[in-house]
């Protein structure tokens, strides 16, 4: 079995008395591609944001490589190891694409300016956007922005990439270019945790699927076990409506 990167135990998150996560427990191992799916309001994005401590748990623990990170000690160091790709890209609008990618590696001391620039060129070449390196985010399409957001996260050489509905803000014709890049990352062996409504994509590339409902994990298994052949009527009904 591969190394456990994340271990989540009895995780609880409440917002003004409303329980968004109700004693959630699971693990994420190195090399896994875990898709978190389920109905709106089921706690998917809250769980993902808790993994990166963008939301602070109300209870329970989150350990990363055996160290409890829910205490928020050395938070900056932890976040250098866990990349995040957001629904709305979160690129800096006043910086060029190249600068968006090089900023964090240089600021954190992970790379010299020359090393960061070379890595940015390599990543932009990979996604076919080297010609846009001096452009600004407003000059890019939604699909281009999201691909830049992904390679910006990759520039930090993270152990894990977290994706929070990476295609939901895109026009349908732009979704494919982002999913194509994500497939490349799967082939590269990147550990990924993805919240998405792209159920067909999850069925194709996930190593595990977590189905959430009412703040709890209702199912956790392979795409066959969860998406295609779940014994639970509630889950079968959900996938019959979205596939």
């Amino acid at each position: 079995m591969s190394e456990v990167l994340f271990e989540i135990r009895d995780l609880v998150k409440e917002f003004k008395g409303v329980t968004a996560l109700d004693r959630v427990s699971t693990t994420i191992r190195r090399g896994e591609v875990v898709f978190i799916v389920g109905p709106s309001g089921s706690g998917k994005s809250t769980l993902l944001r808790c993994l990166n401590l963008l939301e602070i748990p109300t209870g329970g623990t989150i350990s990363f490589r055996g160290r409890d990170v829910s205490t928020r000690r050395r938070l900056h160091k932890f976040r250098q190891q866990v990349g995040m790709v957001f629904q709305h890209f979160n690129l800096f609008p006043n910086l060029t694409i190249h600068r968006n990618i090089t900023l964090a590696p240089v600021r954190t001391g992970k790379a010299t300016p020359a090393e960061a620039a070379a890595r940015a060129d390599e990543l932009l070449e990979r996604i076919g956007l080297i010609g846009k390196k001096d452009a600004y985010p407003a000059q890019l399409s939604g699909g281009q922005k999201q691909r830049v957001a992904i390679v910006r996260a990759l520039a930090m050489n993270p152990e894990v990439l977290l994706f929070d509905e990476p295609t939901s803000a895109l026009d349908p014709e732009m979704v494919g270019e982002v999913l194509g890049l994500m497939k490349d990352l799967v082939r590269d062996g990147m550990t990924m945790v993805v919240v998405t409504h792209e159920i067909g994509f999850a069925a194709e590339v996930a190593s595990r699927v977590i189905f959430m409902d009412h703040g709890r994990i209702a199912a956790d298994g392979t795409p066959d076990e969860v998406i295609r052949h779940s014994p639970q009527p509630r889950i079968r009904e959900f996938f019959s409506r979205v596939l």
Side-chain angles (χ1 to χ4, degrees), residues 79-156:
R79 284 186 174 155
Q80 291 180 27
Q81 299 170 285
V82 181
M84 186 85 178
V85 179
F86 297 91
Q87 179 178 351
H88 294 288
F89 326 127
N90 286 25
L91 298 175
F92 297 109
N94 59 324
L95 301 180
T96 65
I97 299 309
H98 202 260
R99 183 76 172 130
N100 262 281
I101 297 170
T102 61
L103 182 65
V106 173
R107 285 254 178 111
T108 59
K110 285 195 119 182
T112 66
E115 289 168 341
R119 176 68 169 151
D121 285 350
E122 173 193 332
L123 290 167
L124 287 170
E125 192 76 57
R126 174 177 178 175
I127 63 171
L129 291 177
I130 190 66
K132 300 285 188 180
K133 64 184 288 183
D134 295 321
Y136 289 85
Q139 298 171 287
L140 271 58
S141 70
Q144 290 172 330
K145 289 176 190 175
Q146 192 60 291
R147 283 185 289 153
V148 169
I150 293 170
V151 299
R152 178 180 63 175
L154 286 174
M156 290 291 287

Side-chain angles (χ1 to χ4, degrees), residues 6 44-55 78-91 146 148-156 158-166 190-191 193-195:
F6 275 108
K44 306 183 299 294
S45 288
T46 301
L47 174 56
L48 192 81
R49 289 172 66 84
C50 281
L51 288 185
N52 203 26
L53 298 177
L54 291 172
E55 299 288 354
F78 163 65
R79 284 186 174 155
Q80 291 180 27
Q81 299 170 285
V82 181
M84 186 85 178
V85 179
F86 297 91
Q87 179 178 351
H88 294 288
F89 326 127
N90 286 25
L91 298 175
Q146 192 60 291
V148 169
I150 293 170
V151 299
R152 178 180 63 175
L154 286 174
M156 290 291 287
E159 303 250 12
V160 185
L161 270 183
L162 309 179
F163 293 81
D164 190 6
E165 301 197 22
M190 173 64 69
T191 307
V193 184
V194 185
V195 169

